[in-house]
Amino acid sequence: MKTTIQLEKEQVSIDLSKPHDISLAVQNNAGVGAWYINQPVIKHVEVDGYVGNVKLGGSTNFNDVNFNPHSHGTHTECIGHITEEFHSVNNALDGTFFKAQLISVTPQEIDGDLVINESVTTPLATGIKAVILRTMPNPESNKSKNYSNSNPPYVDAGLMLRFRESGIQHILIDLPSVDKEKDNGALLAHKEFWDYNGEQRLDATITELIYVPDVIKDGFYMLDLQVAPIENDAAPSRPILYEIL
């Protein structure tokens, strides 16, 4: 099932029957987590004698889902994550397909931290609108890791500025944040990418807690960035990669 997508300056052909899903799902009391809160809870409803669980005699399965999009599973966020004024990620995308570059990076140790900076990235190609950062090493255990109090790697603000100046609209990363876990609220990487102190970028997004298996090689892809329609600064998302034919 092949199709061709017309970008601004080129046509790109992809095979829709061969998607690479790089999202991590919200799970009941399981899965990836961060930011010092409990794991998600998915539990059936009980109300007025109705039990929303077929195994317990109910006519249907009918569950409440309690989770935080920033902490549990893959999520996409907009500048509303750091502004007093409300901005919804539901309004940040005017399309879902973007030409993307996948880059594997090995963070550099600086003053006891692991930092992703320009020295560990490869040059960006022209026409790229999204950058996907895969942090090495890349064990499958990261798919269920609790990152709280682990001081994971983060992205140097200078690199985020470079991405912004290069016209990158969307950053995707396999970490809980592009910023340092404990930075006293500075959020320098977020602010540089969204131009917080300048012409704020309402149409730029950051997607965190993805997982890109090693079988997906560095290079160029079409990204289909699917975001749940929730009026919030962030929402669960399902980024899909398609190889360019």
Side-chain angles (χ1 to χ4, degrees):
M1 190 166 56
K2 297 178 181 178
T3 190
T4 299
I5 297 174
Q6 179 66 56
L7 302 177
E8 291 180 2
K9 296 183 179 179
E10 65 176 318
Q11 287 187 335
V12 176
S13 296
I14 61 174
D15 188 343
L16 293 173
S17 67
K18 297 180 179 179
H20 297 293
D21 187 342
I22 59 171
S23 68
L24 297 177
V26 175
Q27 304 177 51
N28 179 44
N29 197 34
V32 70
W35 309 118
Y36 329 114
I37 62 177
N38 293 332
Q39 290 179 312
V41 176
I42 303 176
K43 190 176 186 303
H44 66 271
V45 170
E46 295 187 22
V47 58
D48 296 333
Y50 168 77
V51 178
N53 187 311
V54 174
K55 288 183 179 180
L56 298 179
S59 59
T60 59
N61 294 309
F62 188 58
N63 295 321
D64 284 332
V65 182
N66 188 340
F67 74 102
N68 186 296
H70 289 286
S71 298
H72 305 128
T74 302
H75 60 277
T76 298
E77 58 195 31
C78 69
I79 195 173
H81 184 42
I82 59 171
T83 58
E84 290 187 9
E85 182 180 1
F86 176 75
H87 296 287
S88 174
V89 70
N90 197 35
N91 300 321
L93 298 177
D94 57 6
T96 64
F97 280 96
F98 308 95
K99 190 174 181 181
Q101 184 169 351
L102 170 61
I103 304 171
S104 294
V105 294
T106 300
Q108 181 180 12
E109 185 171 354
I110 301 176
D111 296 330
D113 293 331
L114 293 174
V115 183
I116 300 168
N117 56 26
E118 193 164 353
S119 72
V120 300
T121 60
T122 57
L124 296 178
T126 59
I128 298 299
K129 294 298 181 183
V131 170
I132 304 157
L133 297 176
R134 171 172 48 195
T135 308
M136 305 304 289
N138 187 43
E140 286 204 8
S141 59
N142 285 351
K143 296 162 69 174
S144 58
K145 183 175 180 177
N146 187 330
Y147 285 90
S148 298
N149 293 308
S150 66
N151 192 31
Y154 60 91
V155 183
D156 177 69
L159 179 57
M160 295 297 276
L161 173 60
R162 172 192 159 206
F163 288 152
R164 168 162 62 88
E165 292 179 338
S166 299
I168 302 302
Q169 290 181 276
H170 309 288
I171 298 294
L172 296 85
I173 195 167
D174 52 5
L175 298 168
S177 178
V178 293
D179 273 303
K180 185 174 178 177
E181 181 180 22
K182 297 179 180 180
D183 66 352
N184 297 313
L187 297 168
L188 298 179
H190 283 88
K191 290 179 177 178
E192 282 290 6
F193 183 66
W194 282 322
D195 201 6
Y196 177 79
N197 295 311
E199 297 183 12
Q200 295 183 351
R201 307 174 75 206
L202 305 185
D203 60 350
T205 69
I206 297 173
T207 298
E208 295 161 338
L209 290 176
I210 63 171
Y211 183 79
V212 186
D214 290 340
V215 295
I216 304 176
K217 302 304 181 184
D218 282 14
F220 307 108
Y221 296 86
M222 282 302 298
L223 165 68
D224 182 10
L225 184 55
Q226 304 173 14
V227 182
I230 300 175
E231 295 292 346
N232 190 43
D233 70 285
S237 58
R238 191 178 191 181
I240 305 290
L241 298 183
Y242 294 95
E243 295 179 18
I244 296 175
L245 303 177

